[in-house]
Amino acid sequence: EKKDKTLEEITLEMLEQLGSSVRPARNVPNLEALAFVINQLQSDSSETLDMEWFSVGDPQATELAAALKGNTTVRSLKLRYNEIRDDGAIALAEALEAHDSLETIALGNNMIGNRGAAALAKAVASKGKVTSLDLRYNSMGPTLPEPFAGLTNLSALDIRANRLVSLPAQLGQLTQLKTLVVERNHDLAPAALTSAASTEELLKALREQDTG
């Protein structure tokens, strides 16, 4: 009887074919791994969707989103270090609106701009169960999309290293945030936003923009 391969085994086979110096699947779409993860989603057999470094672009993200809509078990979505742009992010946002168990979303190190980020923030705000959103090293800017001001359910938000030059004062009202990371954006002003020593100080600096 043929034994089904695990995602780790699929990845190791691919690395053997590419050479040990090649980072897992970067710029090399792995359709076998994608099929494996989609099967996991459809069978409700995992609490984590993890396809970091698998060269997931908009077409693959759309396929994952379609499978995620019918899933009831995934609590953590990990798609960092891929090539997801706005269309892929919007497809994932639509899936989030139909999903009830997701708590953590990691989409850092992709190519998501304001259009995709706004859709994600709106979806996260509408569900109210997601507590951590990671969008570091993407392409948001120069301003942060308006729906981010409604993320009252988040305890952690990472928007470092985008193309943001300003942040809305309303973001300072998200006092439930325990972690807010905004460093390494382009000329982010005022200076108090980049010099704050803690999330509490950063939130205060954001609120004071209205009175400064």
Side-chain angles (χ1 to χ4, degrees):
E1 182 179 352
K2 185 177 180 181
K3 181 183 176 182
D4 290 337
K5 288 182 286 187
T6 66
L7 181 57
E8 181 180 8
E9 288 170 336
I10 293 170
T11 304
L12 288 174
E13 286 182 5
M14 180 193 63
L15 288 176
E16 288 176 1
Q17 294 171 4
L18 295 175
S20 59
S21 64
V22 180
R23 186 74 191 197
R26 189 61 171 165
N27 298 320
V28 183
N30 190 329
L31 299 182
E32 187 177 7
L34 180 66
F36 177 92
V37 172
I38 287 175
N39 181 65
Q40 280 192 318
L41 290 172
Q42 293 173 337
S43 61
D44 284 340
S45 60
S46 177
E47 291 189 354
T48 301
L49 190 169
D50 186 350
M51 287 200 76
E52 296 188 342
W53 285 103
F54 272 90
S55 196
V56 174
D58 287 349
Q60 294 80 23
T62 300
E63 289 187 60
L64 289 170
L68 189 61
K69 285 181 180 180
N71 176 274
T72 60
T73 60
V74 169
R75 301 164 68 91
S76 178
L77 177 67
K78 297 180 179 180
L79 287 168
R80 291 181 61 202
Y81 298 102
N82 282 297
E83 290 134 25
I84 299 170
R85 299 174 184 268
D86 283 340
D87 288 346
I90 290 170
L92 289 168
E94 292 174 354
L96 295 180
E97 292 178 349
H99 202 279
D100 293 320
S101 62
L102 268 171
E103 298 174 0
T104 301
I105 298 171
L107 285 165
N109 303 82
N110 277 285
M111 305 174 188
I112 300 168
N114 275 18
R115 191 165 59 91
L120 287 166
K122 184 177 179 180
V124 169
S126 71
K127 299 304 292 185
K129 192 166 184 177
V130 175
T131 59
S132 177
L133 178 61
D134 179 355
L135 286 169
R136 73 182 82 177
Y137 289 94
N138 273 285
S139 301
M140 290 186 294
T143 59
L144 191 69
E146 184 177 338
F148 277 79
L151 296 176
T152 56
N153 48 303
L154 288 187
S155 60
L157 175 62
D158 194 335
I159 52 175
R160 81 183 84 174
N162 275 270
R163 299 174 181 175
L164 299 166
V165 298
S166 65
L167 295 173
Q170 294 91 328
L171 200 64
Q173 301 300 326
L174 303 182
T175 55
Q176 80 291 343
L177 281 172
K178 303 301 181 186
T179 303
L180 174 59
V181 187
V182 303
E183 62 192 40
R184 299 183 185 177
N185 275 287
H186 292 201
D187 300 319
L188 189 60
L193 300 184
T194 55
S195 62
S198 67
T199 292
E200 186 176 0
E201 286 186 16
L202 176 55
L203 292 171
K204 181 181 178 182
L206 283 164
R207 292 192 297 271
E208 288 176 348
Q209 290 183 107
D210 276 343
T211 58

